[in-house]
Amino acid sequence: LNVDLERVRYFNGDRECDYLPDYVFQGCKTLRSIVLPYRLREIGRSAFSGCTDLVAVAMPDDLDQIGRSAFYDCSSLTNIFIPDYVTKILEETFRGCSSLVKVSLPDGLATIGNHAFRSTGLTTIEIPSTVRTIGDYAFRNCSGFTEAVSLAVTPPELGSEPGWDCVVFEYFGTPILTVPYGCASAYQSSAWYDPMGWNGFYEFIEAEFDAVSDAEAVASTVYPNPTHGVVRIEAEDIRSISIYGISGQKVFEGAASGDAFEYDFGKHEAGVYMIVVETAKSIETKRVTVL
């Protein structure tokens, strides 16, 4: 089941709504992909929880809130781009997404809630410089991690109760964290440090980037959109391009270099496609409509 809500209008009384109701697709085990309307601002609580066949979600750029447990146990979801207006990832939002290997966190993100990414299949994470708190068990059982980066100069507070013992990174895949230059000692003296590497990191590597480098990165652009054929993808220092159909099938993957890449959609059927643009600094997902 592939659903396109772009042309669907949802009304509460006589007023058109810009939110997806709580529990609306909960337990829909045949839902494979969904296109959310451009005007959508909020995804309700547990909206897609238990949608175990859900592979792809096209989120609107203006989305600013994702409800608690919205994608809980979406075990087939492989990657997701969280729009820039989202400042909080609430409790259990992506818990149990065991196939989720890539996630792009927005530059303005301030809070990662309890259990937010617990038991996911993530292999890398880059925590934006704006993150201030990370809740209990947020990354517990993420045993597949091979690389972790924090861009925050001040180590984010760990745990929902500051000063209490907390379990955020237990059974985490890597005990090594890359941090901004000059910040290793701050992390070493914080709750991020665990000499055994069981619930934290025992080694901090300083990198030559500052805390706002990711926020200042030039966002990728894709045009024309909609398109009948060739699209041009522009971003700084592109490394690879992956393209997925809305049902989740990969239609293209290739290495790239430079600041521009062109792809011809002329051979593909009309519909919505997601373009994952990986640069030297970040991973971003764009969607394009093929007419």
Side-chain angles (χ1 to χ4, degrees):
L1 177 64
N2 304 312
V3 176
D4 187 342
L5 293 181
E6 185 55 53
R7 298 181 180 180
V8 174
R9 297 291 184 265
Y10 172 71
F11 290 88
N12 182 5
D14 60 355
R15 182 175 66 87
E16 186 174 350
C17 295
D18 57 2
Y19 65 88
L20 201 64
D22 296 348
Y23 311 106
V24 61
F25 289 102
Q26 185 183 43
C28 184
K29 297 185 181 298
T30 60
L31 181 65
R32 181 171 174 80
S33 69
I34 190 162
V35 177
L36 298 176
Y38 280 106
R39 66 191 178 280
L40 194 70
R41 297 294 302 274
E42 179 181 345
I43 296 174
R45 178 174 181 171
S46 299
F48 297 100
S49 63
C51 294
T52 53
D53 279 356
L54 184 64
V55 173
V57 180
M59 291 192 181
D61 292 340
D62 290 340
L63 187 74
D64 59 23
Q65 183 167 325
I66 303 174
R68 178 175 178 174
S69 305
F71 296 95
Y72 189 162
D73 201 26
C74 291
S75 54
S76 297
L77 192 65
T78 56
N79 64 73
I80 198 158
F81 171 72
I82 301 173
D84 288 339
Y85 290 111
V86 175
T87 59
K88 295 181 180 180
I89 297 176
L90 300 179
E91 292 86 347
E92 300 184 321
T93 300
F94 298 102
R95 180 176 178 177
C97 294
S98 55
S99 298
L100 184 65
V101 295
K102 289 185 178 181
V103 63
S104 178
L105 299 179
D107 291 333
L109 186 66
T111 303
I112 298 175
N114 298 345
H115 306 275
F117 293 98
R118 179 174 177 171
S119 302
T120 58
L122 290 173
T123 57
T124 61
I125 191 70
E126 184 174 285
I127 297 171
S129 61
T130 50
V131 171
R132 295 292 176 262
T133 59
I134 301 178
D136 294 319
Y137 304 101
F139 293 99
R140 190 173 192 259
N141 291 341
C142 294
S143 58
F145 263 93
T146 59
E147 182 181 12
V149 177
S150 175
L151 296 175
V153 170
T154 302
E157 194 77 46
L158 299 182
S160 57
E161 296 291 340
W164 290 30
D165 290 338
C166 58
V167 180
V168 175
F169 298 103
E170 190 177 34
Y171 308 125
F172 197 66
T174 177
I176 301 171
L177 180 70
T178 302
V179 300
Y181 183 77
C183 297
S185 60
Y187 280 86
Q188 186 92 21
S189 302
S190 74
W192 288 71
Y193 175 67
D194 181 351
M196 303 300 293
W198 292 341
N199 180 37
F201 304 87
Y202 61 61
E203 184 175 353
F204 301 96
I205 300 174
E206 295 181 347
E208 292 288 345
F209 53 71
D210 58 39
V212 297
S213 61
D214 188 55
E216 291 177 347
V218 177
S220 59
T221 58
V222 177
Y223 65 93
N225 187 15
T227 183
H228 292 283
V230 176
V231 298
R232 183 176 175 86
I233 303 161
E234 295 182 352
E236 183 180 347
D237 199 2
I238 300 173
R239 298 294 178 85
S240 69
I241 299 291
S242 301
I243 301 175
Y244 298 83
I246 193 55
S247 60
Q249 78 279 14
K250 184 183 293 183
V251 300
F252 175 81
E253 182 178 34
S257 60
D259 298 336
F261 184 88
E262 291 188 349
Y263 184 80
D264 188 357
F265 280 94
K267 60 186 177 182
H268 296 301
E269 296 179 355
V272 175
Y273 294 81
M274 286 175 286
I275 302 176
V276 180
V277 184
E278 183 171 355
T279 71
K281 296 181 178 179
S282 63
I283 299 174
E284 187 174 5
T285 301
K286 295 288 187 180
R287 67 177 181 176
V288 62
T289 301
V290 177
L291 302 177

